[in-house]
């Protein structure tokens, strides 16, 4: 496999390079020839002019391409608006085929069906490279259908884009198929001597603060934590609704977990109701976090995965990098994350609107991600020096940028952790009794109501029982020994309840008020509840205080019927009253 790279500046230079390519192919065993054309120039005619030259000078060569946000040549950001790469396969067994189709949400499934059919009749297909116009499209159905391709087929590619990230215009094109503003190109590659290795790199790190997707419909994200989705960007990043919203949010995507894979999603636009148009579908109840780029983390990921690429011993490397990464690094430093690969093999590519890769059979649509594809013909070389990826050099500006980012993020994380801890304590305080650390009355009542409502909604007859306790002669304890000793007695009963109920499922303990306590048993009948009540009575009566001595408790037990919570409270309270009236220090069950 041989690759030639062309920086298009004028027709004369292009013709000279094409002549060099033809001479090389004539003197070597060159077979399938593929040109990829990536253009920041949005003029159809300029690109068509180049295509005409290819048709005239190398009529047997395939070509395909798309408009881009910027281009990658020799592993670095290209300074020309149009680049061409020519890949010549040197094995007769290697094959290629181009399939270009109109592309929209309405015909996405049909397009994949055409691709499947093409793969079925061409069993040599091992990889599919794709270029597509995907702005304002939901890719969910497309990715679901692509996941059903033959399991051994790798898929990778990128979304066509525009140099102006706020401009939706983009197009794809290929030999014999013309130009499409709403189109997709599949480049099918394979053969018994063709080998491909694909991977992806993010390096973006999530902040700790979590948000729940409370309302979403396909790619429209309406609410996070019950509030308009825009509020997260407005509140935490001071990013507001304006013409530059897309550009501003590209550096701060939403981070979500998709099985074993972490996916980033970029907001594309804001609607009038402050909902966000996302780069791909969002699922309700998903947990998301804001993410940010850390240069050192990104480069560490590049070095780690770059070594895997190097160990594959590729002959060419293709990259699809999100335009957000370029926005993050800036033009002066963006090449830091791709130049390493050029030390392994000639590296080209473009900056995309969305990246695609198939992982363990699943087709995934990424954002803010770098997809890397290594290709080779023939077996892995057994001789020759293996490339060791050296530590990437970060220039002075980035060396200064790293500690600033780290300190800023450290402050945010620490503040977030403190706030989360404070919120946990506040939430706990709102439902617990300060003296006993059991549920307070409001919370134990809520648990009882919920249990009764759940049984009613599910139309089941699962057993729900209540145990109500009252410390006998408690007023005497306070009057004779003081309220401090009375508090000790109440705390001791709470400890007995916790210890006795350890291991009992569906059990909720609460302080009903003063010296009264309530126990909810959601999967226990009255017989078993009475046994537990008797155990509590015995355990508590065995506790001896230095000043107050031993104390006792009276207990009422009942089982719920199809009734309201108030009726249930009255019956268990009556059972407790009967225990008091019968002499105290005993358990009474009332059905």
């Amino acid at each position: 496999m041989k690759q030639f790279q062309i920086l298009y500046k004028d027709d004369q230079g292009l013709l000279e390079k094409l002549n060099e390519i033809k001479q090389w192919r004539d003197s070597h065993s060159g077979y399938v020839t593929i040109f990829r054309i990536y253009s920041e120039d949005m003029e159809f005619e300029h690109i068509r002019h180049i295509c005409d030259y290819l048709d005239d000078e190398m009529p047997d060569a395939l070509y395909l391409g798309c408009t881009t946000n910027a281009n990658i040549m020799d592993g670095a950001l290209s300074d020309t608006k149009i680049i061409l790469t020519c890949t010549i396969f040197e094995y007769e067994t290697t094959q290629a085929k181009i399939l270009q189709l109109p592309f929209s949400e309405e015909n996405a499934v049909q397009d994949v069906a055409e691709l499947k059919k093409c793969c079925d009749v061409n069993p040599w297909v091992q990889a599919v490279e794709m270029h597509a116009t995907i702005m304002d499209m939901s890719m969910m159905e497309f990715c679901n259908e692509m996941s059903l391709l033959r399991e051994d087929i790798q898929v990778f590619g990128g979304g066509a884009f525009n140099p102006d990230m706020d401009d939706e215009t983009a197009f794809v094109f290929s030999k014999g198929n013309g130009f499409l503003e709403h189109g997709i190109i599949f480049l099918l590659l394979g053969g018994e001597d063709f080998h491909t290795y694909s991977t992806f790199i993010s390096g973006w790190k999530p902040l700790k603060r979590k948000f729940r997707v409370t309302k979403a419909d396909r790619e429209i994200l309406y609410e996070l934590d019950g509030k308009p989705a825009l509020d997260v960007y407005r509140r935490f990043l001071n990013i507001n609704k304006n013409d530059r919203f897309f550009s501003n949010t590209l550096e701060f995507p939403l981070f979500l977990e998709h099985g074993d894979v972490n996916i980033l999603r970029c907001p594309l636009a804001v609607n009038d109701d402050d909902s966000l148009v996302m780069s791909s579908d969002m699922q309700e109840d998903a947990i998301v976090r804001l993410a940010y780029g850390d240069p050192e983390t990104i480069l560490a990921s590049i070095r780690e995965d770059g070594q895997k690429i190097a160990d594959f011993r590729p002959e060419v490397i293709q990259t699809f990098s999100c335009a957000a990464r370029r926005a993050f690094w800036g033009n002066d430093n963006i090449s830091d994350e791709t130049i390493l690969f050029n030390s392994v093999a000639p590296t080209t590519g473009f900056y995309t609107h969305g990246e695609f890769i198939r992982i363990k059979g699943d087709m995934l649509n990424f954002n803010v991600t770098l997809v890397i594809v290594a290709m080779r013909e023939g077996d892995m070389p057994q001789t020759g020096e293996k490339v060791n990826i050296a530590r990437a050099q970060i220039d002075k500006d980035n060396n200064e940028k790293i500690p600033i980012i780290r300190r800023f993020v450290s402050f945010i994380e620490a503040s977030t952790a403190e706030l989360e801890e404070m919120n946990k304590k506040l939430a706990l305080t709102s439902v617990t009794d300060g003296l006993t650390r059991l549920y307070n009355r409001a919370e134990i009542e809520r648990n009882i109501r919920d249990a009764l409502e759940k049984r009613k909604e599910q139309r089941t007859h699962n057993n729900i029982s209540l145990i109500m306790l009252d410390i006998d002669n408690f007023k005497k304890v306070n009057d004779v020994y003081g309220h401090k000793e009375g508090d000790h007695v109440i705390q001791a009963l709470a400890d007995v309840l916790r210890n006795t109920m350890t291991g009992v499922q569906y059990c909720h303990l609460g302080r009903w008020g003063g010296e009264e306590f309530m126990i909810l048993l959601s999967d226990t009948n009255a017989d078993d509840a009475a046994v537990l009540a008797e155990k509590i009575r015995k355990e508590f009566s065995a506790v001896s205080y230095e000043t107050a001595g031993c104390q006792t408790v009276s207990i009422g037990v009942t089982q719920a019927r199809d009734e309201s919570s108030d009726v249930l409270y009255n019956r268990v309270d009556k059972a407790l009253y009967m225990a008091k009236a019968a002499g105290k220090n005993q358990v009474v069950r009332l059905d």
Side-chain angles (χ1 to χ4, degrees):
M1 188 184 300
K2 173 71 173 178
Q3 188 177 89
F4 296 86
Q5 301 181 5
I6 306 171
L7 294 170
Y8 178 76
K9 295 180 179 179
D10 54 48
D11 292 349
Q12 182 61 35
L14 174 61
L15 289 172
E16 290 176 358
K17 196 67 178 179
L18 292 180
N19 187 53
E20 177 189 336
I21 293 171
K22 287 189 291 185
Q23 289 180 5
W24 186 93
R25 193 173 67 167
D26 290 343
S27 62
H28 294 75
S29 298
Y31 292 97
V32 174
T33 302
I34 301 173
F35 283 89
R36 294 176 178 85
I37 308 167
Y38 299 135
S39 176
E40 294 179 66
D41 188 335
M42 299 299 296
E43 293 294 331
F44 280 61
E45 293 306 318
H46 293 172
I47 304 173
R48 193 189 307 275
H49 180 68
I50 294 172
C51 293
D52 288 342
Y53 271 118
L54 294 180
D55 286 330
D56 292 341
E57 299 295 324
M58 300 189 69
D60 61 333
L62 300 174
Y63 60 77
L64 70 157
C66 64
T67 56
T68 71
N69 181 256
N71 304 315
I72 299 169
M73 178 72 79
D74 291 324
L77 179 68
S78 171
D79 59 0
T80 60
K81 288 190 174 183
I82 301 177
I83 68 168
L84 296 85
T85 65
C86 175
T87 305
I88 302 176
F89 295 99
E90 300 178 82
Y91 281 69
E92 189 176 8
T93 55
T94 302
Q95 300 186 61
K97 181 180 179 63
I98 290 176
L99 180 65
Q100 177 172 309
L101 300 165
F103 191 51
S104 65
E105 286 187 51
E106 290 72 25
N107 60 20
V109 173
Q110 181 181 340
D111 287 352
V112 179
E114 287 293 319
L115 174 63
K116 288 179 184 176
K117 188 187 303 181
C118 195
C119 291
D120 288 342
V121 298
N122 295 285
W124 51 263
V125 176
Q126 294 173 280
V128 175
E129 179 179 327
M130 54 171 280
H131 305 73
T133 55
I134 63 173
M135 184 71 85
D136 290 338
M137 278 185 60
S138 168
M139 302 303 292
M140 180 173 64
E141 281 191 285
F142 173 78
C143 288
N144 289 342
E145 289 298 312
M146 289 291 285
S147 299
L148 300 177
L149 283 178
R150 202 173 67 228
E151 290 185 2
D152 62 313
I153 298 177
Q154 295 186 54
V155 186
F156 41 79
F161 213 177
N162 191 298
D164 180 356
M165 290 191 292
D166 294 301
D167 190 331
E168 297 181 4
T169 307
F171 55 85
V172 298
F173 55 90
S174 63
K175 183 180 179 70
N177 298 299
F179 294 75
L180 288 176
E181 287 193 39
H182 302 285
I184 189 167
I185 300 172
F186 298 112
L187 172 61
L188 286 63
L189 298 165
E192 61 186 73
D193 297 300
F194 177 79
H195 305 281
T196 303
Y197 173 81
S198 58
T199 188
F200 71 97
I201 296 169
S202 169
W204 256 244
K205 297 174 67 175
L207 296 169
K208 288 184 179 179
R209 177 70 162 86
K210 296 180 179 180
F211 306 92
R212 182 179 294 277
V213 177
T214 47
K215 186 179 180 182
D217 182 13
R218 293 157 51 102
E219 76 277 15
I220 305 299
L221 176 58
Y222 287 98
E223 293 180 358
L224 292 171
D225 288 349
K227 298 178 181 179
L230 176 63
D231 283 2
V232 169
Y233 283 92
R234 186 159 45 201
R235 177 184 175 191
F236 291 95
L237 297 171
N238 195 30
I239 295 177
N240 294 292
K241 187 191 306 184
N242 55 44
D243 293 340
R244 304 300 297 175
F245 176 80
F246 178 38
S247 303
N248 292 334
T249 57
L250 274 175
E251 296 184 35
F252 299 97
L254 292 180
F255 175 102
L256 64 107
E257 295 180 1
H258 180 86
D260 297 331
V261 181
N262 297 325
I263 294 179
L264 300 175
R265 290 281 180 260
C266 286
L268 305 181
V270 188
N271 295 319
D272 291 339
D273 59 358
D274 287 351
S275 62
L276 302 181
V277 180
M278 303 301 292
S279 55
S280 191
D281 298 270
M282 301 292 294
Q283 300 296 321
E284 289 188 357
D285 290 328
I287 301 299
V288 300
R289 292 179 279 176
L290 286 169
Y292 70 97
D294 172 16
E296 193 166 271
T297 301
I298 294 169
L299 292 176
S301 300
I302 295 289
R303 290 190 293 272
E304 180 180 348
D305 284 275
Q307 191 58 56
K308 296 175 184 177
I309 292 287
D311 292 343
F312 177 74
R313 307 293 289 276
E315 293 174 295
V316 298
I317 295 174
Q318 185 80 356
T319 61
F320 306 90
S321 183
C322 186
R325 301 178 81 90
R326 181 184 170 209
F328 171 76
W329 285 101
N331 288 347
D332 292 339
N333 301 308
I334 180 58
S335 300
D336 286 350
E337 67 173 22
T338 50
I339 196 68
L340 282 176
F341 298 107
N342 205 58
S343 65
V344 177
T347 300
T348 57
F350 68 97
Y351 290 96
T352 72
H353 174 67
E355 306 76 55
F356 295 88
I357 189 170
R358 194 179 187 198
I359 301 171
K360 297 179 180 179
D362 289 337
M363 182 70 169
L364 299 175
N365 175 201
F366 285 94
N367 301 114
V368 202
T369 301
L370 172 61
V371 169
I372 309 157
V373 184
M375 301 181 187
R376 185 189 74 235
E377 285 185 290
D379 295 332
M380 186 179 296
Q382 300 301 312
T383 60
E385 183 179 353
K386 289 186 177 181
V387 176
N388 291 318
I389 298 295
R391 179 177 176 80
Q393 296 298 313
I394 306 173
D395 66 20
K396 182 177 183 292
D397 289 339
N398 277 329
N399 274 323
E400 292 173 351
K401 189 177 184 179
I402 289 173
I404 293 173
I405 291 175
R406 288 258 175 90
R407 292 188 188 104
F408 173 68
V409 171
S410 179
F411 168 76
I412 292 175
E413 298 286 33
S415 300
T416 301
E418 290 178 4
L419 182 61
E420 287 180 347
E421 185 63 27
M422 187 182 302
N423 287 337
K424 287 179 182 178
K425 290 180 179 178
L426 288 172
L428 187 62
T429 300
S430 69
V431 299
T432 57
D433 171 65
L435 180 64
T436 63
R437 293 178 291 112
L438 302 179
Y439 284 142
N440 57 29
R441 178 160 180 165
E443 184 63 14
I444 191 65
E445 279 190 299
R446 186 188 68 77
N447 278 273
I448 294 169
R449 287 195 304 271
D450 288 351
L452 293 174
E453 289 174 5
K454 183 177 180 181
R455 185 174 73 164
K456 183 177 180 180
E457 289 173 0
Q458 297 179 349
R459 297 182 180 181
T460 61
H461 296 284
N462 60 306
N463 297 315
I464 297 174
S465 296
L466 291 187
I467 299 175
M468 191 173 187
L469 311 88
D470 182 89
I471 301 174
D472 296 327
N473 306 311
F474 186 71
K475 184 176 183 303
K476 180 180 177 181
V477 174
N478 280 334
D479 292 344
V480 176
Y481 305 110
H483 288 279
K484 187 174 183 180
E485 185 69 358
D487 287 347
H488 289 160
V489 173
I490 288 174
Q491 289 171 326
L493 178 54
D495 290 339
V496 168
L497 296 181
R498 268 188 290 267
N499 293 335
T500 304
M501 293 299 171
T502 298
V504 177
Q505 288 188 322
Y506 312 116
C507 172
H508 301 275
L509 310 173
R511 188 180 180 190
W512 199 247
E515 67 274 19
E516 289 184 331
F517 293 78
M518 187 76 81
I519 302 174
L520 165 66
L521 297 164
S522 296
D523 195 21
T524 305
N525 60 32
D527 291 336
D528 292 335
V531 172
L532 290 169
E534 179 61 22
K535 185 176 180 182
I536 292 169
R537 187 194 66 78
K538 288 181 179 179
E539 292 289 337
F540 181 66
S541 64
V543 179
S544 180
Y545 300 91
E546 187 175 344
T547 54
C550 294
Q551 300 297 318
T552 62
V553 65
S554 296
I555 306 176
V557 177
T558 194
Q559 184 172 325
R561 307 164 188 162
D562 292 331
E563 59 195 351
S564 69
S565 56
D566 287 338
V567 173
L568 182 60
Y569 297 153
N570 288 336
R571 190 165 64 255
V572 74
D573 184 68
K574 184 176 180 181
L576 174 59
Y577 176 80
M578 292 169 63
K580 292 282 190 182
K584 303 178 182 178
N585 190 25
Q586 57 187 283
V587 175
V588 170
R589 170 184 166 181
L590 183 60
D591 295 326

